[in-house]
Amino acid sequence: MSSNKNNWKVEDSDHLYQVSRWGEGYFAINNKGELVVTPEKNEHQISLNAIIEEAQKDRLSLPFVIRFHDVLRSQVVKLNKTFKKVMEQAKYQGDYFGVYPIKVNQLREVVEEIVDAGSEFNYGLEAGSKTELLTVLAQNTNEKSLTILNGYKDKEYLELALLGTKIGRNMVVVIEKYSEILNLLEVVEGEEQCPMIGVRVKLNSKSSGKWAESSGDFAKFGLTVSELVDFIDLLKRENKLQYLKLFHFHAGSQIPDIKTIKECITEGARFYTELIKLGAPLEYFDAGGGVGINYESSAYSINYNLDNYIEDVVYIIRDICDEKKIKHPSIVTETGRAIAAQHSCVVTNVFGSAKPKPPKMENIERNPDDHLLLKKMKDCYLELNFSNYLDVYNDACLYKEETLSAFKLGVLDLRQRVVIENLYWNVCQQILTMTENTEDVHPEIEQLRTNMADKLLCNFSLFQSAPDSWAIGQVLPVVPITRLDERPTHECTLADITCDSDGKISEFSGPDGLKKTMPIHKFEYGEDYNIGLFLTGAYQDTMGDMHNLFGRLNEVHVYIDKDDPKGFYIEEVIFGNSAAQVLEIMQYSPFEMARKIKSTVDKKIKEGKIKPREGIKLVDYFENSLKGYTYLE
Ligand SMILES: *Cc1c(COP(=O)(O)O)cnc(C)c1O
């Protein structure tokens, strides 16, 4: 597994881009230096580049989403099998009935794959809104699995829950606000059936990290202890306590610290045993979601894995129930992110650089007629060496600022300003070259490195494909798809094709934590150089917006095929939005738009300003562009 281009091994790339850490066995680098996906954890490798080439041969343009259905299946199986295994080891009496919260990724193909992979384990679905409830009613046809309902519930939502119960589904309505139980009692009044009732409590244990707000007294959802007691009394009075089957909490997403998980499960288990003592006939302990993903090498990274999580859940509940001599409940989790994150990635092509062209070298001979500021900048350039570069850098920055002031005052003309600035940029470039191999440079030089790094233009929209990167500063793994057997030669940041200055990626995971730039290889624009954005399968895929009217991406759905020479087949291609589709969502009529252009062109033809042949071409061009992909083609 090694190569020798510039004395560089694929293992070095693995370390540099942290592939083994975030890939968790699903991603690796092969001996040709290509990024590969290993849906069965290292058994069988599929080259991402081979997938891209095949999709492009089928005329699909970048950027696109690649979905690895086997990875999705593998995560569902892993979650369920690990729970069964740990429960057996712990001699746990209850069973495991996981549900997939579809808000994490509602795409039909994703939900269907999860339901199918989970059917042998009676793995169910969770909905958080009315539209999601309609979806899970249609998709979760397994009568042994659970359908769990969270989110705001109006009467219609509760009627739909009752409908589910009537057609034989194991519906659980989780009461998250006290008023919801009043609505439910009204809806089931006079009915012979009632959905199972769940109750969400506010835990005191708090998560840290970027989603810390989901728990604690002031969380948006969950009953307080006093509401909880009233709730039980109400159910008793109304003769509905027999339907109270599920206890639930959700401590937030991407929980970074296993200690938080232990605390939440412990507090939850105490609640559970207390509620049983109050007479609640509970059977399910629903620990919600929150299992994190190894996105980045920083404090927001997680310090546990799925196995550790499952062991904690099972053993803590077992021990507390044993202590109180209470029957072990069946365990439910609503693990979302950890099921879906790894299964999809976004591949984009680099098509240019936003970096200004390199500054011209100026004549540096001292000249008595030079303006004072030019004299000083020349001194900076001439005196610069390795022992004084920080001082020289600070001087040069000062003279550059003074140059700007002088220009604003009309003391320097534009050409004089250009000469001084060119010299300034040459000083900066020299400093970067002389400190290239210096590890611990001063923060100012570190900042200079970032500022002067190449800004690669990538054909994608951050707001569509990685909204968390923009909204909460989530760092996602970014890696070149090929050439990982070569030493990368320079550092860059990434910019997308929206006209928004926030549409950039300038934080990356490196071997020593977060850094402001990522290493890339030398390539000519126009040559294929593709970059992958990974772990986008949870939330990123479906939360994207239409900023600048970039729509959904093309998609390639890939399955393993061991008999195939390349080891895979593309099962489905879904075309991304055309300009016309995106415009329709915004209430435009593409037909009307084309008609308006045509009538303008007709008028110009009549006036003799455009030749008829030319006019037809212009109208055709406009119409074809409406049918085209919203990204660069
Ligand atoms: C969002 C959510 C989940 C999923 O959380 P993950 O962190 O993705 O596992 C589970 N349950 C509820 C109630 C949620 O709101």
Side-chain angles (χ1 to χ4, degrees), residues 294-405:
N294 254 315
Y295 295 109
E296 58 190 89
S297 49
S298 79
Y300 285 117
S301 191
I302 59 172
N303 63 3
Y304 60 96
N305 60 30
L306 193 59
D307 297 78
N308 308 143
Y309 169 80
I310 292 172
E311 279 166 21
D312 276 343
V313 171
V314 171
Y315 281 93
I316 292 174
I317 298 176
R318 183 198 69 176
D319 290 348
I320 291 181
C321 287
D322 285 350
E323 179 195 318
K324 298 283 175 188
K325 304 213 162 36
I326 278 170
K327 189 173 164 228
H328 301 165
S330 279
I331 296 175
V332 176
T333 68
E334 303 176 350
T335 314
R337 186 185 296 276
I339 291 291
Q342 290 123 335
H343 94 278
S344 82
C345 66
V346 174
V347 180
T348 166
N349 49 316
V350 180
F351 67 94
S353 165
K355 197 177 164 177
K357 70 186 203 348
K360 235 174 50 200
M361 191 50 217
E362 300 289 345
N363 180 4
I364 41 165
E365 256 171 63
R366 292 189 170 101
N367 181 337
D369 298 336
D370 282 346
H371 185 278
L372 178 67
L373 284 167
L374 178 56
K375 258 188 208 135
K376 297 215 167 188
M377 200 61 96
K378 280 185 180 174
D379 288 346
C380 284
Y381 188 87
L382 292 165
E383 285 161 17
L384 175 66
N385 62 47
F386 191 73
S387 61
N388 68 4
Y389 69 82
L390 189 59
D391 282 342
V392 170
Y393 176 65
N394 285 322
D395 288 348
C397 289
L398 182 71
Y399 302 142
K400 178 163 169 274
E401 267 171 43
E402 286 176 356
T403 301
L404 278 179
S405 310

Side-chain angles (χ1 to χ4, degrees), residues 101 103-104 126 150 176 200 248 250 252-254 288-291 334-338 539:
K103 76 155 189 266
V104 176
E126 185 258 9
N150 288 310
E176 299 174 291
R200 176 165 175 172
H248 169 62
H250 173 66
S253 207
Q254 185 68 11
V291 181
E334 303 176 350
T335 314
R337 186 185 296 276
Y539 303 104

